[in-house]
Amino acid sequence: MIKQLHCAAALMMIAMASVCGAGTKASSDSKVAARPLDLTIYHLEGRRSERIVWLCEELGIPYKLEYKRGDLAGSMKTIREVSPLMPVAPTVRIGDQVMVESGAIIELILAREGHGRLEPAFSSRDYPYYLQWMHFAEGSFAARVIADYRVALIQGKPKTPAGGYKLVDTEAVLAFMEDFLSKHPYFGGRAFSAADIMMLFPTNITEAFNVADLTAYPHIIAWRSNVESRPAYKKMLAVARPDGVPGVPKPLPKT
C-alpha cells in the first residue's frame, strides 16, 4: 500500500512538472510573439502593396519600405530576388519568412500587432460582414473588374453593359457594394477596419481602368472620400506613392 502511495505521489509530481514546463513554454512563446515585427515591405507604386503600408500607418508600427521610386522594373527586380517563384507586390519579409497575398499579410499583422484594432470583435454582428468584404475584395471584386477590363480591351470597345456576361459583372458587384454602404458607413460595419483597406484598391482601379462609372454609386463615392481623408492614408501616399502612379494601364474607351 505504501509503495502504491509513493508511486502515485511520483506520478503527480511528474504531471505537475509537465504542466509547469508547458506554462513556462507558453510564457516564453508569448514573449516571442510580443516582440515587434521585423517587417520589410517590397513595393510597387500604385499596386496592392499600398494596403500593407496603409495598415502599418494606421497601427503605428515600424516597417521598412523597399522600392525604386518611379522605376517599376527596378522595383520588380528587387521583388524577384526576394520571391523568385512568385514575384508580386506585395511581397513582405517578416523575420526570416517571406509572404505574398495582401489579405493574408494583413490578417497576420493584425493577429500579432492589432490588439483588437481595425477589426470588429469576433462576437459582434459586424464581424461576419468584415470577413465577407475582406475576402470579397479580391475573390469577387478585383477578379471581376480585371476580367471585364481584359475582355473589353481585347474587343477594343467599351465594356458590355450590365448583364452582358454570363458571370457576375462589375456593375452587379458595385450594386451589391452600394446597397451595403447605404446601410453601413464602412465595409466592416460601424467602424473603419482592414476591410476598407482591402476594398479601396479595386474601387480605384474600377475608375482608373474606366470599367464602370462610379458616379452612379453615391454611397461608394462618399465612403471612398471618407477613407481617403484619413491621416494614415495620406501618409501612405506620401511615402509609397510620392509621384503618383507610374505605368498606369491604358483605360478603356469612353462609352
Side-chain angles (χ1 to χ4, degrees):
M1 179 68 178
I2 293 174
K3 185 177 180 181
Q4 290 176 338
L5 288 173
H6 283 314
C7 289
L11 289 171
M12 288 180 65
M13 290 180 67
I14 293 170
M16 289 176 66
S18 298
V19 170
C20 290
T24 302
K25 184 178 186 301
S27 176
S28 175
D29 288 346
S30 297
K31 289 178 182 178
V32 171
R35 293 174 185 167
L37 289 180
D38 178 14
L39 173 63
T40 301
I41 305 168
Y42 298 92
H43 171 57
L44 289 179
E45 293 144 292
R47 273 60 176 186
R48 291 168 172 86
S49 44
E50 289 185 352
R51 289 169 167 161
I52 314 305
V53 181
W54 184 8
L55 176 75
C56 290
E57 294 294 342
E58 291 282 355
L59 294 174
I61 62 174
Y63 60 93
K64 182 179 179 182
L65 187 61
E66 290 279 356
Y67 74 103
K68 297 186 183 300
R69 186 168 172 173
D71 181 4
L72 294 180
S75 296
M76 275 303 301
K77 182 176 183 295
T78 301
I79 291 174
R80 285 193 181 93
E81 292 170 355
V82 176
S83 180
L85 297 180
M86 185 53 61
V88 294
T91 293
V92 303
R93 187 187 298 277
I94 300 176
D96 61 354
Q97 292 181 294
V98 174
M99 284 185 68
V100 298
E101 283 298 325
S102 57
I105 295 165
I106 285 174
E107 289 192 40
L108 176 64
I109 292 173
L110 287 178
R112 294 187 178 177
E113 299 287 338
H115 308 298
R117 295 174 292 171
L118 298 185
E119 56 183 344
F122 294 162
S123 60
S124 71
R125 288 182 57 83
D126 285 340
Y127 192 71
Y129 296 137
Y130 165 80
L131 279 183
Q132 169 184 284
W133 295 109
M134 280 288 291
H135 292 269
F136 186 91
E138 289 296 325
S140 296
F141 189 12
R144 176 47 39 197
V145 170
I146 293 169
D148 283 354
Y149 171 76
R150 287 175 173 169
V151 169
L153 199 63
I154 292 169
Q155 293 176 341
K157 58 184 179 181
K159 195 187 83 65
T160 303
Y165 299 118
K166 292 181 180 180
L167 299 176
V168 176
D169 64 309
T170 300
E171 281 82 1
V173 169
L174 292 170
F176 181 51
M177 294 164 52
E178 177 74 6
D179 178 71
F180 184 84
L181 290 175
S182 71
K183 304 166 187 172
H184 308 85
Y186 298 99
F187 283 108
R190 290 172 292 178
F192 176 82
S193 72
D196 300 292
I197 294 176
M198 287 294 294
M199 288 293 290
L200 184 63
F201 176 80
T203 300
N204 283 342
I205 66 168
T206 299
E207 184 173 69
F209 292 1
N210 197 31
V211 174
D213 181 5
L214 293 185
T215 61
Y217 308 95
H219 290 96
I220 294 176
I221 293 290
W223 162 80
R224 180 173 67 173
S225 177
N226 185 16
V227 299
E228 288 186 342
S229 71
R230 296 179 66 85
Y233 180 78
K234 293 178 180 179
K235 179 65 181 298
M236 179 278 292
L237 292 180
V239 300
R241 202 200 302 172
D243 306 310
V245 181
V248 179
K250 175 184 176 182
L252 298 178
K254 297 283 186 179
T255 54

